[in-house]
Amino acid sequence: MLASALTQAISSVLPSALGVALSPIPIVAVILMLGTPRARTDGPAFALGWVLGLSVVAIAVVAVTSAAGDAADVGSNTSDSISWMKVGLGVVLLVMAKRQWQKRPAPGTEPELPRWMAKIDQLPPGEALGAGVLLSGLNPKNLILTLAAAASIAQVPEITTGEEAVAVAVFVAIASVTTVGAVVLYFVGGSRATKVLSDVKAYMSIHNAAIMMVILLLIGGKLIGDGLGVVG
């Protein structure tokens, strides 16, 4: 049976991890790579870069946030500074949700994807790995969601370093399930996988803004509620 602190830490990172996993742009990017002649090299390279980038950022952020929480903790298991940070991150996510809604394509209009995706079929494996790192670890939305996950881990009472490491591993695993899963499906699914991936790409491309707006709105609201609940 999982220790209570570890259970609490894992449950607290689930919303942020799902927010990262359901981000349409990385999913569309990896599926586009899997539709090119370099699919068997670029796909795994992108997935590896995604996991590496997200892991490095998550570990660094959790280490810094936990240290800040320990320093700010005076006779209490929770830190007001971390709680207010969660409120601030929640506000930022709500602002981002509003921007997603404002830039949604008009009905019947073809949604615009980032210009760099037009060159996705020309990337060598090294650049595909770099693209995975950039879209996971250095994506502003993912950074905010990783900060939110780290803040939640840091506020778990009496959590050990080992339990923090397990919570980070769970966060990265769940956050990577869509991108890595697309690559795995490509290799094991054969021709049926191609149809499934194509349908997913089309859906994510069309509904990118709406999907991100809902994700950011829900997680932003939760962070604000959690943060105010502690400081209140």
Side-chain angles (χ1 to χ4, degrees), residues 5-223:
L6 179 56
T7 304
Q8 186 177 341
I10 291 175
S11 63
S12 69
V13 303
L14 289 179
S16 295
L18 289 173
V20 175
L22 295 175
S23 181
I25 294 299
I27 297 173
V28 172
V30 71
I31 293 175
L32 285 173
M33 287 184 183
L34 294 173
T36 69
R38 300 176 186 230
R40 303 189 75 83
T41 54
D42 280 5
F46 180 90
L48 176 60
W50 174 275
V51 173
L52 287 176
L54 199 59
S55 297
V56 170
V57 171
I59 291 169
V61 170
V62 167
V64 172
T65 306
S66 296
D70 291 341
D73 189 17
V74 180
S76 172
N77 285 325
T78 59
S79 164
D80 282 352
S81 62
I82 293 180
S83 295
W84 283 116
M85 182 181 78
K86 292 173 75 172
V87 172
L89 292 173
V91 171
V92 172
L93 290 178
L94 293 184
V95 172
M96 293 175 69
K98 179 182 177 182
R99 291 183 60 188
Q100 289 289 335
W101 177 252
Q102 291 174 333
K103 71 178 186 179
R104 72 192 187 283
T109 303
E110 188 73 19
E112 293 185 10
L113 293 176
R115 293 181 180 178
W116 56 265
M117 282 195 177
K119 301 180 179 179
I120 206 79
D121 59 340
Q122 303 172 21
L123 295 181
E127 292 183 12
L129 186 145
V133 171
L134 290 173
L135 284 175
S136 62
L138 300 181
N139 180 299
K141 175 188 67 68
N142 287 355
L143 282 174
I144 293 173
L145 292 175
T146 303
L147 275 170
S152 297
I153 293 173
Q155 285 192 308
V156 175
E158 301 180 3
I159 189 169
T160 66
T161 301
E163 289 170 334
E164 287 183 340
V166 174
V168 170
V170 171
F171 170 79
V172 172
I174 295 175
S176 303
V177 71
T178 48
T179 50
V180 176
V183 176
V184 173
L185 180 61
Y186 171 82
F187 280 95
V188 304
S191 59
R192 293 181 61 185
T194 302
K195 176 66 167 57
V196 172
L197 293 173
S198 178
D199 290 343
V200 170
K201 177 180 73 67
Y203 183 86
M204 289 291 189
S205 298
I206 294 171
H207 301 289
N208 173 34
I211 292 171
M212 286 313 308
M213 183 202 68
V214 172
I215 291 172
L216 297 174
L217 187 63
L218 291 176
I219 298 178
K222 182 179 185 302
L223 285 174

